[in-house]
Amino acid sequence: MQIKQLASFTGVSAKTIRYYEDISLLSKAKRGDNGYRYYDDQDVSLLKFIRRCKELRIPLADIKRLVVVQSSGNDPCKQVDTIIFQQLEKIRIAQYELHQLEQNLKTLANCCKHERIKDCAILKHLRSN
Amino acid sequence: MQIKQLASFTGVSAKTIRYYEDISLLSKAKRGDNGYRYYDDQDVSLLKFIRRCKELRIPLADIKRLVVVQSSGNDPCKQVDTIIFQQLEKIRIAQYELHQLEQNLKTLANCCKHERIKDCAILKHLRSN
DNA sequence: CTTGACATTCCCGTAGCTGGAAGCTTTATT
DNA sequence: AATAAAGCTTCCAGCTACGGGAATGTCAAG
């Protein structure tokens, strides 16, 4: 199949697929005589795998490691484990930060009395101290 | 004062200050005969204001609008209000997404039985379907 | 007079793409 | 057969918000 079909099967745009090849997340695709890239079912599986990792917001560098590691079948899966746990940790930290942020923004939003700019309580707050 | 002092008063690096001037978030600084930038107390206040907005993760484009709007004292503060509310909304959406993500990652992390790669339950999950 | 701590500009790299230009091939329509 | 539309290719630029580092200039202290 051609690149656009791979794209529609996996939900990853053709542009992105080429980009993944560029950064060697995908290996070089076979080319036809016309220079077009051609793909098969294995490529579909791999890209779907990648897309799922992306949905978990795993960075491409880590996804690459997950892709590579799959060909070393007898090794322990510690690396996989670690990547997932680190990702979970990152998400939890981000959640905490967002929670703090939400509190601050709520306070700020609530102090708005629809004044004019020169009396705006939000701006005063932001300028204070 | 020179740029480094402004930096230390505000917690914004000299590099970043120059960058803000480049993108016109700050107006062009006065220059000495040697070409050095010189700043005063007003610049300190403004940069502190900007830093506070940044802590709320307000995008620079919006911060710019908040900076500009402050010179139109008699206008209503609707713009300010809107920016803060939009920011709050963004944060809430991000929180929701992170919550979903956390659930998915937790499920994935828990299914790890410390197998070898070829039996790894995490990888199986990510490949499934 | 030299050293070190400042300052300047400029360009590259980050992550993960997306958009667009310029130029092929292939397919569909007139 | 000619042409148009769609799909493919490569390459270059731009997005956010800077940080690193090079090459160079300036200023105060020892």
Side-chain angles (χ1 to χ4, degrees), chain A residues 6-62:
Chain A
L6 178 60
S8 79
F9 280 169
T10 59
V12 177
S13 79
K15 272 261 178 189
T16 300
I17 294 171
R18 287 192 204 99
Y19 171 69
Y20 286 170
E21 189 179 316
D22 275 2
I23 62 167
S24 303
L25 175 56
L26 298 176
S27 51
K28 306 232 169 202
K30 301 138 213 153
R31 303 288 187 122
D33 288 347
N34 47 15
Y36 288 15
R37 289 172 179 82
Y38 286 96
Y39 299 97
D40 58 27
D41 290 350
Q42 278 216 320
D43 298 311
V44 175
S45 305
L46 182 53
L47 247 190
K48 278 187 177 171
F49 173 84
I50 290 171
R51 212 204 50 186
R52 245 172 240 128
C53 292
K54 271 205 26 177
E55 284 165 3
L56 298 170
R57 300 214 198 172
I58 298 172
L60 291 188
D62 286 339

Side-chain angles (χ1 to χ4, degrees), chain A residues 86-103:
Chain A
Q86 281 175 355
Q87 187 60 18
L88 194 48
E89 205 39 44
K90 272 191 227 164
I91 299 298
R92 283 177 173 155
I93 291 169
Q95 278 183 322
Y96 176 75
E97 283 177 16
L98 286 189
H99 179 70
Q100 302 298 104
L101 255 179
E102 193 200 357
Q103 301 310 311

Side-chain angles (χ1 to χ4, degrees), chain A residues 56-127:
Chain A
L56 298 170
R57 300 214 198 172
I58 298 172
L60 291 188
D62 286 339
I63 299 183
K64 204 165 172 174
R65 291 168 58 203
L66 289 177
V67 169
V68 169
V69 99
Q70 295 194 55
S71 40
S72 48
N74 273 320
D75 289 10
C77 71
K78 209 186 111 200
Q79 280 200 55
V80 178
D81 207 26
T82 304
I83 288 174
I84 299 301
F85 268 91
Q86 281 175 355
Q87 187 60 18
L88 194 48
E89 205 39 44
K90 272 191 227 164
I91 299 298
R92 283 177 173 155
I93 291 169
Q95 278 183 322
Y96 176 75
E97 283 177 16
L98 286 189
H99 179 70
Q100 302 298 104
L101 255 179
E102 193 200 357
Q103 301 310 311
N104 292 339
L105 280 166
K106 259 162 69 180
T107 307
L108 210 53
N110 283 333
C111 79
C112 180
K113 300 283 179 297
H114 306 289
E115 320 271 356
R116 284 151 199 257
I117 290 291
K118 64 177 191 295
D119 306 311
C120 176
I122 291 179
L123 290 175
K124 271 182 195 162
H125 241 90
L126 286 169
R127 273 194 311 255

